[in-house]
Amino acid sequence: MTFMTQTRTAPSGLALEISAMMHHAMQAAMDYYLYRVTLRELRALDTAALTDLGLHRSGIRAAARKAVYGI
């Protein structure tokens, strides 16, 4: 009778670093995409709608940044 054992090694430190770097880059790209979409949607609103939201045209970029990045 023959037995076979298969072992898997845990990802190395370098593999984890590369994975984390890729995750961070993808998250940053998605955040930027959401920022641009939010900015485009706010810019498409008329002045009355912006006033209802408590925004002025000069504050659109800050509002989009706060909505996506929380800052």
Side-chain angles (χ1 to χ4, degrees):
M1 184 183 301
T2 305
F3 291 99
M4 182 179 148
T5 59
Q6 187 175 17
T7 58
R8 266 183 92 175
T9 60
S12 68
L14 180 59
L16 288 174
E17 289 294 322
I18 291 172
S19 175
M21 180 181 68
M22 291 301 296
H23 175 74
H24 179 70
M26 289 171 33
Q27 185 65 47
M30 189 59 165
D31 286 347
Y32 182 70
Y33 171 76
L34 290 174
Y35 168 74
R36 297 298 300 172
V37 168
T38 305
L39 195 60
R40 190 174 344 148
E41 289 178 359
L42 287 174
R43 284 180 175 164
L45 296 175
D46 62 350
T47 305
L50 287 173
T51 303
D52 288 343
L53 293 173
L55 295 174
H56 188 267
R57 289 235 173 250
S58 63
I60 288 176
R61 294 182 88 173
R65 190 172 36 254
K66 184 175 182 181
V68 174
Y69 298 109
I71 54 173

